[in-house]
Amino acid sequence: SKALTADANGIVTIDQDTNNKALVIDSEATSVYALETYSKYGIYSQQDISGGYAGYFYRNIDEAGSYPLVYIYDDHASNTQPALKVRQDGAGYDSESSAYSGIMAYGKYGIQCTQDISGGYVAYFNRNLDEAGSEPLVNIVDDHTSNTQPALRVKQDGAGYGIKIDQNGAGVALYIDSE
């Protein structure tokens, strides 16, 4: 059988049936992309063998340039869809918190979000289920005993509330436990 075929519809197929790479692009270009696609759906990658992943982005250079490892740029002003959506239906395990996570971030600054359009918000946390477990909606844990910085800082320069609590249930609106 042929490993590379092109049918009458213009579909090019690489059928890699051995334990080798199916396609390698090695480009030394410094001002153009190694791979460029134009289509409605772009790139689709499906993991169909256990123990791997559908996408892997890796950089091991002393990067002092202007670009992150992965850059998502959704530029149209009338767009109403998110630039990135993560859906985790399975029990993806986070060994740091012993919890199931859709997104994990490790680094000096973790996650930074900046709102630059009026009328929205920087973060929104929502849970609409009969939660009988032992976990809060948002959990801030600062475990190091030598830490001298606050676990949460709220700075409000405007006329709005620094913290607003709307407690509609039977529980206590604010509980402080200090040892």
Side-chain angles (χ1 to χ4, degrees):
S1 71
K2 293 182 179 180
L4 178 65
T5 60
D7 70 11
N9 295 316
I11 299 173
V12 176
T13 301
I14 299 174
D15 186 9
Q16 172 51 285
D17 291 328
T18 63
N19 192 23
N20 293 296
K21 298 173 183 172
L23 176 65
V24 175
I25 300 173
D26 184 5
S27 173
E28 303 303 322
T30 60
S31 61
V32 295
Y33 301 106
L35 176 65
E36 202 166 346
T37 67
Y38 298 91
S39 66
K40 181 174 181 176
Y41 292 110
I43 299 171
Y44 174 82
S45 175
Q46 177 179 342
Q47 177 190 345
D48 65 353
I49 299 173
S50 180
Y53 32 75
Y56 180 76
F57 302 92
Y58 175 78
R59 172 167 59 198
N60 186 11
I61 58 174
D62 186 12
E63 178 57 48
S66 304
Y67 297 107
L69 178 58
V70 177
Y71 184 75
I72 298 172
Y73 185 51
D74 197 351
D75 195 30
H76 200 281
S78 298
N79 182 32
T80 61
Q81 297 300 312
L84 176 66
K85 179 178 179 178
V86 177
R87 177 177 170 171
Q88 168 62 292
D89 288 338
Y93 189 69
D94 172 3
S95 62
E96 295 295 316
S97 67
S98 298
Y100 302 113
S101 299
I103 299 175
M104 296 187 316
Y106 299 93
K108 183 174 181 179
Y109 294 109
I111 298 173
Q112 177 180 339
C113 302
T114 302
Q115 178 186 350
D116 63 355
I117 299 174
S118 179
Y121 43 78
V122 173
Y124 178 77
F125 303 96
N126 179 42
R127 175 167 57 200
N128 185 12
L129 55 92
D130 185 9
E131 177 57 45
S134 59
E135 295 296 327
L137 177 58
V138 176
N139 199 359
I140 299 173
V141 178
D142 196 350
D143 263 347
H144 202 283
T145 58
S146 299
N147 182 34
T148 61
Q149 300 302 310
L152 175 65
R153 175 184 296 147
V154 177
K155 180 179 186 251
Q156 167 61 289
D157 289 337
Y161 299 113
I163 295 178
K164 177 182 176 183
I165 299 173
D166 182 6
Q167 171 66 23
N168 294 317
V172 177
L174 182 62
Y175 174 78
I176 300 174
D177 178 16
S178 179
E179 274 111 43

